[in-house]
Amino acid sequence: MNSFPALAALALVLPTAAVAVPPEATQQAAESAVVEEKPGPSIGAQRVADWIASSGDNASLPYLVIDKPTASLRLFDAKGKMLAEAPVLIGIAAGDDATPGIGAKNLSEIGPAEKTTPAGRYLAKFGLAVGRERVLWVDYATSVAIHPIPKTAPKKERRRQRMLSATSDDNRITFGCINVPIAFYGKTLRPLFQKKGGYVYVLPDTKTVEEVFPRLRVEALRAGSTG
């Protein structure tokens, strides 16, 4: 179910003298409400999450599993306890590898096929981006970061509407960065990652999870030999 019709209907019945709500607060409330409507994790995302928890691959740091197939994420603490789920916006183009040298290009120089969110395992830490904005850098070399929807994003891209929609089909719109709900970013993700950082596991579009996370295959073989 899409949240916008419900919000629009509510606005029609509110008295005109109602106290104005800051746009940021409205956005945070809407984005928080839609988290429950997104689909659950893919089979691959569940396998990766189970492997991390059982193997301790996160090295006692909090971690995120970015599920590109469902355009969603799950956040875990250092002990593997799931803390939150949220929808995400990802790169326009399907693909699992960053174009060589893309981190040195201006946004205007990046072609449509290059706008991918690369899959893999990354040690993410907060740092400064253009405009001295602090973002969670997933891979600084390829300019892939996690942050809320930029205020400068063109309105025609309808990023907020895409994030709020119940389907994941329209969540491919970024240059490669991962956009997350502003409330989730500020109240949940940042406090957990700001001190020492954490790991980010980005699932693939076209490759198998074993290709992207070779240790997953090792753990599966080990489990099979002892089962």
Side-chain angles (χ1 to χ4, degrees):
M1 175 181 176
N2 195 307
S3 299
F4 275 126
L7 290 174
L10 178 61
L12 290 174
V13 300
L14 287 176
T16 55
V19 177
V21 179
E24 294 81 3
T26 302
Q27 181 176 347
Q28 290 184 15
E31 290 177 354
S32 297
V34 80
V35 171
E36 297 297 327
E37 300 178 8
K38 288 290 183 179
S42 65
I43 294 175
Q46 187 60 58
R47 287 184 60 202
V48 170
D50 291 344
W51 155 64
I52 299 167
S54 63
S55 67
D57 187 76
N58 58 305
S60 299
L61 289 174
Y63 57 98
L64 285 165
V65 176
I66 309 293
D67 191 7
K68 287 200 289 180
T70 63
S72 64
L73 65 74
R74 290 195 291 168
L75 172 67
F76 298 82
D77 67 12
K79 295 183 179 180
K81 177 183 178 182
M82 193 180 78
L83 302 177
E85 297 181 82
V88 298
L89 300 180
I90 55 178
I92 292 175
D96 300 317
D97 299 297
T99 301
I102 194 169
K105 291 185 176 183
N106 294 321
L107 293 182
S108 60
E109 298 174 321
I110 299 176
E114 297 178 303
K115 298 176 182 178
T116 60
T117 299
R121 174 183 183 269
Y122 304 93
L123 178 57
K125 293 186 177 182
F126 276 96
L128 296 178
V130 177
R132 300 194 65 78
E133 177 188 4
R134 284 184 64 80
V135 298
L136 181 60
W137 284 110
V138 176
D139 187 18
Y140 186 82
T142 58
S143 296
V144 176
I146 295 176
H147 54 77
I149 297 172
K151 295 179 181 179
T152 56
K155 291 184 178 180
K156 65 180 181 180
E157 292 183 350
R158 303 176 69 252
R159 292 199 186 193
R160 184 164 170 254
Q161 291 91 330
R162 291 168 182 269
M163 182 177 285
L164 290 170
S165 71
T167 177
S168 60
D169 295 339
D170 59 356
N171 287 47
R172 292 184 178 274
I173 189 60
T174 77
F175 279 75
C177 282
I178 300 161
N179 291 175
V180 298
I182 189 171
F184 166 79
Y185 183 80
K187 297 180 180 180
T188 308
L189 180 60
R190 186 161 53 197
L192 198 63
F193 275 63
Q194 66 182 356
K195 188 175 182 180
K196 295 182 178 180
Y199 281 95
V200 175
Y201 298 82
V202 182
L203 266 72
D205 286 315
T206 57
K207 295 181 179 180
T208 66
V209 290
E210 288 85 4
E211 286 179 276
V212 177
F213 308 108
R215 297 179 188 174
L216 184 63
R217 180 184 290 112
V218 174
E219 288 295 321
L221 292 173
R222 183 179 301 168
S225 64
T226 59

